[in-house]
Amino acid sequence: MPSAAQGFFWMTGILAYQLGNVITLLHITFVINFIRKKFFVHRYFHLLITITLLAAAIGFNEVLMVMLCTFYLLLFLFAPLEKNHRTFFLVLFVLSLGFSVLVFIAPGNAVRESMFPSNHDFLKSAGFTFMQLFRFLFDWISNLPLIISTVLLLTFGNELIQKNTFLKNILSVHPLFYTAGIFLVLVICIFPPYWFTGTLGQHRTINAACFFFLPLWFLHAMAWSFHVKQNILSISKTMAVVLILLSLIAMGVTKNGYGAVTDIVYKKAMMYDDEMLSRWSFLETAQQSKAESVELKLIENTPVTLFVLDINEDSSYFFNQGYARYFGMQVVKRKSH
């Protein structure tokens, strides 16, 4: 995940994106069980929950909205399905489109877009999407734990496929379908922010892309293994255990794992907590003395693991105003050095 701080330690990231991802995963689980005729309570009750979860997932953010519409359209057009399954996916596509229209015409969208005057530049959006796509794709594919996991999957993948008929049916699609899906997911998660805001901004949409990239990557690897009708790699079980241990170590010393370890070792989280408690105490004292204006120092110790925003030189900045309103003051300024 590009930014664990934005994914798990930021309210917007948790509610609008990670929770949306979970609801989407739950929805897809219900779709798969519907196809396999494993109904929850009853066929129509199962279908009702499936549609409700679809509506909820689309309502979380624009990335999931585009993702689900595209997903069901492609399944309807290209997947080797029985006629009744194809009809089912057509219905899901039409419903996805309908729910998306409701999200798209919501009045808040116009207000949000008015805040970004440099938006709707197609060439800029397409160009930056192309660059960011390969940036993040290279970053993820070169990740050691992913490489090791892929090696293990290609070693033992065919054995897993042969034991699971449903998985075998899924992988009967040409592997290029999954390869193209990886690129498509990244485009869907990168292009809309550039189109609507003119910038990628925070990496919350890339976090969503990573969530879908992982299963698609492993399906892509298994599909190619299934396509050539043999295990692409062969290693011993002892070597597999060594690789798993190496992967666990790598998680702790690279990227998000490294950030978490350094926050603990260098006591950044503890020092950040002390600074925030000191600021809170100062603001409470100022509130009790009915001060109309206060000056605050910038937080010096900001942990990598936490998503931290702070006050601005401009007292009209929303963070400054948030402090002022909460503590009943007129102005909260940033202390100059």
Side-chain angles (χ1 to χ4, degrees), residues 238-254:
T238 302
M239 179 58 69
V241 172
V242 172
L243 288 176
I244 291 171
L245 291 174
L246 180 61
S247 178
L248 292 174
I249 293 170
M251 289 180 188
V253 297
T254 60

Side-chain angles (χ1 to χ4, degrees), residues 123-141:
L123 291 179
K124 176 186 175 183
S125 301
F128 276 99
T129 296
F130 181 81
M131 289 188 291
Q132 296 284 18
L133 186 154
F134 285 99
R135 168 196 170 188
F136 285 105
L137 194 59
F138 175 79
D139 190 41
W140 293 340
I141 293 175

Side-chain angles (χ1 to χ4, degrees), residues 39 51 85 96 166 174 200 254 281 289 322 331:
F39 305 121
I51 294 172
H85 292 161
S96 300
F166 182 73
H174 197 280
L200 188 61
T254 60
S281 178
S289 63
V331 179

Side-chain angles (χ1 to χ4, degrees), residues 144-210:
L144 183 59
L146 182 70
I147 293 172
I148 291 174
S149 300
T150 306
V151 168
L152 294 174
L153 188 65
L154 294 179
T155 302
F156 306 106
N158 270 337
E159 184 180 342
L160 178 64
I161 294 169
Q162 297 305 322
K163 292 179 180 179
N164 192 312
T165 305
F166 182 73
L167 183 59
K168 188 185 296 184
N169 291 335
I170 291 176
L171 297 177
S172 63
V173 180
H174 197 280
L176 286 175
F177 182 83
Y178 294 106
T179 306
I182 290 172
F183 285 90
L184 185 60
V185 161
L186 279 160
V187 170
I188 289 173
C189 292
I190 296 172
F191 184 82
Y194 276 117
W195 174 253
F196 288 113
T197 68
T199 178
L200 188 61
Q202 292 98 359
H203 285 164
R204 51 184 180 265
T205 60
I206 303 298
N207 283 348
C210 185

